[in-house]
Amino acid sequence: MNSEKEPFQSKNYLSKSLFYRFSQFVGFLLGARFFVAALLTFALYVSTFFLFNQDESFRKFVFDFKVHGIIFCTVLTILAGGIINQFYDLEKDHVVKPFRTRVQSFIKQKYFLYAYLALSAISLGVAWMISHNVFAFFVVYQFFMWFYSHKLSRILILNNLTFVSLTLYPFFGMMVYYETFSKKVFLMAVFLFLILLCIDIVKDTLTRSVDKAFGYTTIPNYFKSRNTKIILTSLLIVTMAVSMKIITKTGITGFMAYYFAGGLFVMIVCIYLLLKASRRSNFLTLNVLRFWVFVGIIAMLLNGIEHKL
């Protein structure tokens, strides 16, 4: 009887072990916000080649290892930032994101910290090999990633402005690297900043009570619903004005022109949803804006391909 049970117990242990390892792997990906990092990497490559890089050929771009090194450092820094952010937000995430925290519980917090230190060190090491200026760029980036999670995420208005600024920081770095300063790029950066700011504030409306309970002073739990609605509506109207400015004053054509024209309709839809002032309408607004950011990346890719060919 024992000999019959042993193979079964062995298989059962193996399946449990594999499930546990797989859960650890998924937990690490979620903790490091791997999928956000992957999307930002894609956006960086698209914007770098089709927006900032005006003159370089595709072949030269592929073999520009300095650019790939900078993007690699950016990805590692974003992963490290995701880890340190979930470390500080752990108690809040238990309430807001129970499934994610349950999966992350398969890994001890100390291993997340080891991963954070390792990713940060590798990123800075590669940056140092590229140049001292790049190294300084990433020292500043990593410091503010940590400082945002440690302190700024709890401070009114600064939390939203810092989060959006950190999201756009790598794109600013690429713009400086290629010295691509123009009215069109500036207005597009303002447009993206405003949309990301709206996304962050709308996201805070969905976690208002939890943020308040854990000491996060956000716009929704400080200004209340009516004033938050006015702030968001005003930001969306300004975003529409920036879109119109891009269309009429920068000579933009192709897919990007259609994107910014379509953005006017999207902003109107979002304003309508916000005026309904329900949790469901706020959730829809959040996902519409997130989707529109993704559409913008695809539009830039298609527009770039059209102009390069």
Side-chain angles (χ1 to χ4, degrees):
M1 290 291 292
N2 288 338
S3 61
E4 290 177 0
K5 285 183 179 180
E6 282 178 8
F8 175 77
Q9 289 174 345
S10 178
K11 286 179 182 178
N12 193 36
Y13 172 78
L14 183 61
S15 63
K16 284 184 178 179
S17 178
L18 288 172
F19 174 76
Y20 183 76
R21 295 300 178 193
F22 177 73
S23 299
Q24 284 184 313
F25 177 68
V26 173
F28 177 76
L29 292 182
L30 291 173
R33 298 180 186 174
F34 174 81
F35 303 104
V36 173
L39 180 62
L40 280 172
T41 304
F42 176 61
L44 262 176
Y45 269 109
V46 170
S47 60
T48 298
F49 183 65
F50 293 117
L51 183 62
F52 305 133
N53 173 19
Q54 299 291 332
D55 305 314
E56 205 172 65
S57 67
F58 181 70
R59 178 182 173 82
K60 191 174 180 181
F61 175 75
V62 168
F63 290 100
D64 190 342
F65 295 108
K66 189 173 181 179
V67 170
H68 298 306
I70 292 171
I71 293 177
F72 176 72
C73 292
T74 300
V75 175
L76 294 187
T77 300
I78 291 168
L79 291 173
I83 290 171
I84 201 64
N85 186 251
Q86 71 86 29
F87 179 79
Y88 281 102
D89 289 351
L90 188 61
E91 289 184 344
K92 174 186 164 183
D93 287 345
H94 271 294
V95 181
V96 179
K97 303 166 184 173
F99 173 75
R100 196 178 84 176
T101 50
R102 172 62 184 156
V103 175
Q104 286 172 210
S105 68
F106 285 95
I107 305 177
K108 293 179 180 178
Q109 285 299 303
K110 68 176 182 178
Y111 294 120
F112 275 116
L113 288 177
Y114 293 156
Y116 166 72
L117 292 172
L119 290 168
S120 299
I122 294 169
S123 175
L124 291 177
V126 174
W128 179 266
M129 288 189 287
I130 295 171
S131 79
H132 294 170
N133 289 338
V134 173
F135 175 78
F137 177 86
F138 281 101
V139 167
V140 172
Y141 193 22
Q142 290 191 14
F143 170 77
F144 277 102
M145 280 277 200
W146 167 80
F147 194 52
Y148 166 78
S149 300
H150 177 62
K151 189 69 68 177
L152 298 178
S153 62
R154 296 174 183 269
I155 301 174
L156 178 66
I157 298 176
L158 270 179
N159 46 19
N160 301 113
L161 293 177
T162 307
F163 176 80
V164 176
S165 298
L166 287 172
T167 303
L168 294 179
Y169 188 78
F171 298 91
F172 172 75
M174 282 301 180
M175 184 178 72
V176 172
Y177 176 76
Y178 280 105
E179 297 181 353
T180 311
F181 303 100
S182 66
K183 185 177 182 180
K184 181 175 79 172
V185 171
F186 173 75
L187 288 172
M188 288 174 71
V190 172
F191 174 86
L192 184 57
F193 183 90
L194 290 169
I195 283 196
L196 291 176
L197 185 58
C198 288
I199 287 173
D200 203 44
I201 296 172
V202 173
K203 186 175 65 176
D204 287 340
T205 66
L206 299 173
T207 59
R208 181 172 53 194
S209 57
V210 179
D211 286 331
K212 192 171 184 178
F214 287 98
Y216 293 80
T217 310
T218 62
I219 286 174
N221 66 37
Y222 184 85
F223 292 106
K224 309 305 178 187
S225 298
R226 184 174 178 274
N227 291 331
T228 301
K229 195 191 305 179
I230 292 170
I231 291 168
L232 281 168
T233 303
S234 301
L235 285 172
L236 288 169
I237 290 171
V238 173
T239 307
M240 290 173 67
V242 173
S243 292
M244 293 175 68
K245 192 83 171 174
I246 291 171
I247 295 166
T248 57
K249 299 295 183 181
T250 63
I252 198 166
T253 58
F255 288 97
M256 290 304 292
Y258 291 120
Y259 172 74
F260 287 109
L264 298 173
F265 173 74
V266 171
M267 298 305 122
I268 292 170
V269 170
C270 289
I271 291 171
Y272 168 75
L273 290 170
L274 287 171
L275 292 176
K276 294 180 73 175
S278 68
R279 183 177 177 81
R280 177 180 169 79
S281 63
N282 287 347
F283 181 75
L284 283 171
T285 304
L286 177 65
N287 286 293
V288 167
L289 290 173
R290 282 174 169 171
F291 176 71
W292 198 243
V293 171
F294 178 73
V295 171
I297 299 169
I298 301 301
M300 188 184 298
L301 174 64
L302 295 174
N303 195 76
I305 291 171
E306 182 185 36
H307 283 79
K308 291 279 184 180
L309 293 178

